[in-house]
Amino acid sequence: MSDPKFRPVVAIDMDGVLRVAATRPGSPKRDLIAAEITYRRDAFPTLHHSEPPWDDNGEYADDEGEEFSRVGVEWVHDLLGRGVDVVWATTWQHHANTYFSPVLGFPDLAVAVVGDGSRFEEPVEWKSAQLSTDPRWEGRALVWVDDDIPPGWGIERNRRPKDRAITLSYRVRSYWLGLTEWDIDVLDAWLTLASTPEGHAELRRRRRAERERL
């Protein structure tokens, strides 16, 4: 994938995709990675986040720790090893590199969604607006992985016409499970197509066929 055109970009959310809600008594078994993370008041996102109960030192750590989808974390490592560009598309913004990349063994990843986003009521609007128009991946295959992409809010509609066929907005099946092997099978099949000239041609053929059915 030396040609950037055939090196896909994966824009990935954190909460509900990699980071999941804590396991409770009686919860179904999940394959998770546990980690201890201490958040700091002076390095915490203010947009679309409620502040936790800070201690006297301006710090907070969940007594039950944090939990992450193991297959999701392993998938990100696999993507990076395959030369796929992985970028953060999360309301944590650059704080994802501060708190999560170190404990999950990721390098600092580029941050795709930035700014105060104050003119957008919902995170999905804010993310979609930036992801679909960012010049960094113009002409490149782009997949957005999130747990909250309502119908009509995908990034395909706002990308350049030539880029829409090589664009995928993917909503994980369960925010409680985060990324699962089923999700990853679907995503990897699409990324395989997005990585070759023949695959691009197939994605464009599929888009034409889909539009003809409408």
Side-chain angles (χ1 to χ4, degrees):
M1 289 188 291
S2 57
D3 186 341
K5 183 177 180 180
F6 304 111
R7 192 173 73 245
V9 178
V10 175
I12 193 165
D13 186 26
M14 173 54 66
D15 296 330
V17 176
L18 294 177
R19 179 174 177 253
V20 297
T23 301
R24 304 298 182 190
S27 298
K29 185 177 180 180
R30 300 178 292 176
D31 188 11
L32 303 175
I33 294 173
E36 299 291 334
I37 298 176
T38 298
Y39 302 99
R40 305 191 313 273
R41 183 161 48 195
D42 62 356
F44 195 81
T46 57
L47 181 70
H48 301 303
H49 283 259
S50 299
E51 291 198 51
W54 305 111
D55 64 18
D56 292 341
N57 295 319
E59 297 182 339
Y60 170 77
D62 192 323
D63 292 339
E64 298 182 352
E66 307 280 354
E67 294 180 320
F68 302 85
S69 161
R70 183 179 300 278
V71 296
V73 170
E74 291 175 350
W75 183 60
V76 172
H77 281 286
D78 182 58
L79 292 175
L80 295 171
R82 286 153 47 189
V84 175
D85 288 341
V86 182
V87 301
W88 289 126
T90 169
T91 56
W92 286 92
Q93 301 188 60
H94 63 279
H95 298 299
N97 284 324
T98 301
Y99 295 119
F100 305 120
S101 288
V103 300
L104 300 178
F106 301 158
D108 282 355
L109 303 178
V111 180
V113 180
V114 297
D116 65 13
S118 58
R119 67 187 180 94
F120 298 104
E121 293 184 4
E122 298 294 336
V124 65
E125 301 176 65
W126 180 47
K127 294 178 183 181
S128 180
Q130 293 197 51
L131 289 170
S132 59
T133 58
D134 195 311
R136 285 178 291 179
W137 32 81
E138 186 174 314
R140 296 177 62 185
L142 172 64
V143 56
W144 173 26
V145 185
D146 204 292
D147 68 313
D148 183 20
I149 308 178
W153 281 107
I155 54 178
E156 294 87 346
R157 62 177 188 164
N158 290 327
R159 291 200 85 194
R160 295 189 321 159
K162 288 185 178 180
D163 293 342
R164 289 172 187 165
I166 53 173
T167 304
L168 176 65
S169 300
Y170 184 85
R171 182 175 182 170
V172 299
R173 294 199 301 170
S174 169
Y175 70 89
W176 191 77
L177 292 173
L179 276 167
T180 64
E181 291 182 357
W182 191 95
D183 296 305
I184 290 168
D185 285 345
V186 174
L187 289 162
D188 273 344
W190 191 89
L191 287 169
T192 297
L193 291 173
S195 301
T196 66
E198 297 78 12
H200 277 223
E202 172 61 16
L203 291 172
R204 296 189 188 284
R205 184 199 66 77
R206 291 181 184 182
R207 179 170 176 81
R208 287 194 299 271
E210 182 179 340
R211 294 180 67 182
E212 290 170 0
R213 289 195 297 268
L214 296 178

